[in-house]
Amino acid sequence: MSDLRRIRLNAVQTLVLGFACLIFLGGVLLSLPIASRDGQWLPFLDALFTAASASCVTGLVLYDTWTQFTLFGQAVILMLIQVGGLGFMTVSILFALLMRRRIGLHQRAVLMDTVGALQVGGVVRLTRRALLVTAACEGVGALVLMAWFCPRYGLARGIWMGLFHAVSAFCNAGFDLLGTGSSLTSIAGAVVPNVVLMALIVCGGLGFLVWDDVLTKGLHPRRWRLHSKIVITATAVLLVGGTAAFYFLERDGAFAGVPEGQKVLMAAFQSVTPRTAGFNTVDLMALSESATLLTMMLMFVGAGSGSTGGGIKVNTFAVLVLETLSQIRRKEDVNVFRRRLDEETIHRAHASVTMYTMACLVGCLVLCLQGIALEDALYEAISAIGTVGLTRGVTPVLPELSKAVILLLMFAGRVGSMSVAMAVTRDHPAPRVRNVPEKILIG
């Protein structure tokens, strides 16, 4: 007992363990007969997979959410999406604030990783704003979606669908209640839900630090943090470029036979959703190989740090691009927006992408060993670790081992591959004496 009391988890370990406990609890609840429409126990691995997909805001599903789960099961999934999207620590701080309890230093340190704060000071204020932004975006989105769903599905179901899809979109989860088993393809031409869902996905994917800048400093980019400038610029470039690329690649392919305006809408949605949302309005198997590769590239990049999305993060991607350009130009410093990037930031970006890529490739290898085609295995692995949720029809037929691997990839993608690695390794103090440096050949 005394040994257990000596165990003190650091902030990263607390974050990893908290998400693991959330997934386990969700798995237990979803396995109960009350959670399934047939009144039968759901296999625990399948329930755990669904709970992990919801908690890690991924959207990969073994069963159609509407046809498999009761209102209780759907409510559990919605709770897991909301807590997973915000971060379990953010939700616990909400209750602490409501009960006027003091928030300790350790809790603030965990919050830094949860909401993407740059320093401990002001992290509680940032968390309050994150909760307010979430409530405002999800609330407005839910009301608009309810107004669209209610005339088509009835009052009760329309209200529930509006709320569910608003939370799922803002948290970049990708779960839907249309009951078609093919995501949002049945409403591909509906402007209102498509635009609202895209707006919610982008808002959730920007990150709470960006929203803090917008709320405190207004629409004055010069006053924003460097982080916000990079995230918004990179996001805009990827969204506009992705929309144009999908339109020209698929206007005579997967988008053929629909009005020109709907083609643009579908191209825009297909550009937004790989940024870790997981919805799709077009049959993914109908996409050309070039569009499929573009989708995987966007899934790999993902959303912004400290957001509800996954991927290597747009800001990390931007750092690598800027650092590469500096090397090409033989410049020692990496400069952007009249600021010089910190060397530690660049090192962390390289380490993060390396861990992310290695985990993705190992997962792909296991899926290939289980008999899944290389293209589908790579697509599924990137979708899982990027917490995207798009699939080429592989998820429902995954063998047991592959389910476990995808589950672990989703977990690593949401918590962060670096965070998972750091959670199981010991802290090493900086050495007093450093070794003599020596160069090796690179390139």
Side-chain angles (χ1 to χ4, degrees):
M1 188 69 176
S2 59
D3 291 336
L4 291 175
R5 289 177 179 175
R6 291 196 195 101
I7 298 176
R8 184 173 179 81
L9 301 177
N10 59 36
V12 175
Q13 291 170 332
T14 302
L15 186 66
V16 172
L17 183 61
F19 264 102
C21 292
L22 177 66
I23 291 170
F24 181 79
L25 175 61
V28 171
L29 293 176
L30 290 175
S31 67
L32 298 175
I34 192 177
S36 296
R37 291 187 183 275
D38 59 7
Q40 302 295 317
W41 288 86
L42 196 68
F44 186 67
L45 180 58
D46 291 356
L48 199 66
F49 185 100
T50 304
S53 184
S55 302
C56 300
V57 290
T58 304
L60 290 174
V61 293
L62 301 173
Y63 309 93
D64 178 72
T65 307
W66 175 257
T67 56
Q68 172 64 33
F69 296 103
T70 61
L71 181 61
F72 172 81
Q74 294 168 24
V76 170
I77 291 174
L78 185 64
M79 177 201 70
L80 294 173
I81 290 172
Q82 187 70 89
V83 176
L86 289 175
F88 79 96
M89 197 61 197
T90 305
V91 178
S92 67
I93 292 300
L94 170 62
F95 288 104
L97 292 173
L98 292 175
M99 298 175 65
R100 300 182 181 280
R101 292 178 55 187
R102 183 178 176 274
I103 300 171
L105 184 61
H106 180 69
Q107 292 173 302
R108 294 170 187 264
V110 179
L111 271 179
M112 281 185 62
D113 291 314
T114 303
V115 299
L118 297 175
Q119 57 189 19
V120 175
V123 69
V124 176
R125 175 184 56 79
L126 177 61
T127 303
R128 287 198 192 98
R129 290 204 173 120
L131 293 169
L132 288 174
V133 168
T134 301
C137 291
E138 291 180 354
V140 173
L143 289 175
V144 178
L145 290 174
M146 287 176 191
W148 192 87
F149 280 121
C150 284
R152 294 163 176 80
Y153 294 91
L155 182 62
R157 185 179 174 185
I159 291 174
W160 177 239
M161 290 180 71
L163 176 63
F164 190 97
H165 288 94
V167 174
S168 182
F170 182 81
C171 291
N172 282 231
F175 283 79
D176 72 272
L177 295 180
L178 296 184
T180 62
S182 56
S183 192
L184 307 182
T185 53
S186 61
I187 59 171
V191 176
V192 173
N194 276 264
V195 171
V196 172
L197 292 174
M198 283 192 289
L200 288 170
I201 292 166
V202 173
C203 288
L206 288 176
F208 299 122
L209 199 62
V210 174
W211 277 109
D212 182 62
D213 264 348
V214 173
L215 292 175
T216 57
K217 299 170 184 176
L219 300 177
H220 302 286
R222 291 184 179 181
R223 298 168 56 191
W224 292 347
R225 300 179 181 92
L226 179 61
H227 169 85
S228 300
K229 295 177 183 178
I230 290 176
V231 169
I232 290 179
T233 302
T235 297
V237 170
L238 289 176
L239 292 183
V240 173
T243 299
F246 277 116
Y247 175 80
F248 287 110
L249 289 172
E250 296 299 330
R251 60 180 176 176
D252 297 322
F255 302 161
V258 300
E260 199 67 23
Q262 186 176 337
K263 288 181 181 180
V264 176
L265 185 64
M266 293 173 71
F269 198 94
Q270 193 60 32
S271 176
V272 170
T273 194
R275 308 295 308 292
T276 85
F279 296 115
N280 59 282
T281 57
V282 63
D283 182 7
L284 298 177
M285 296 297 292
L287 293 176
S288 63
E289 291 187 351
S290 54
T292 299
L293 178 60
L294 177 60
T295 302
M296 286 193 281
M297 291 166 62
L298 291 175
M299 289 195 298
F300 190 82
V301 174
S305 293
S307 72
T308 58
I312 64 170
K313 305 296 188 296
V314 290
N315 42 297
T316 302
F317 174 73
V319 168
L320 295 183
V321 171
L322 291 169
E323 201 268 342
T324 301
L325 292 175
S326 295
Q327 290 292 327
I328 293 173
R329 297 169 181 171
R330 292 179 173 82
K331 291 185 177 181
E332 184 176 348
D333 296 332
V334 180
N335 298 302
V336 59
F337 294 115
R338 298 183 179 181
R339 292 290 186 272
R340 177 173 57 86
L341 287 179
D342 179 61
E343 289 188 8
E344 183 181 350
T345 299
I346 299 173
H347 294 328
R348 188 175 180 84
H350 280 285
S352 177
V353 173
T354 300
M355 287 290 298
Y356 187 98
T357 305
M358 290 173 60
C360 183
L361 292 177
V362 170
C364 177
L365 176 63
V366 175
L367 265 61
C368 288
L369 290 174
Q370 294 266 285
I372 298 173
L374 175 59
E375 183 179 347
D376 293 338
L378 184 59
Y379 195 99
E380 196 82 1
I382 296 176
S383 180
I385 199 169
T387 69
V388 182
L390 296 177
T391 180
R392 289 166 55 86
V394 172
T395 306
V397 296
L398 286 174
E400 299 298 292
L401 177 59
S402 295
K403 288 180 186 177
V405 170
I406 293 297
L407 192 157
L408 291 174
L409 287 176
M410 290 189 294
F411 182 76
R414 181 64 186 107
V415 179
S417 52
M418 281 291 291
S419 296
V420 174
M422 290 166 63
V424 296
T425 56
R426 297 176 58 186
D427 293 333
H428 295 282
R432 295 181 179 179
V433 180
R434 301 172 67 184
N435 292 329
V436 177
E438 184 175 346
K439 293 183 179 181
I440 64 171
L441 189 63
I442 298 294

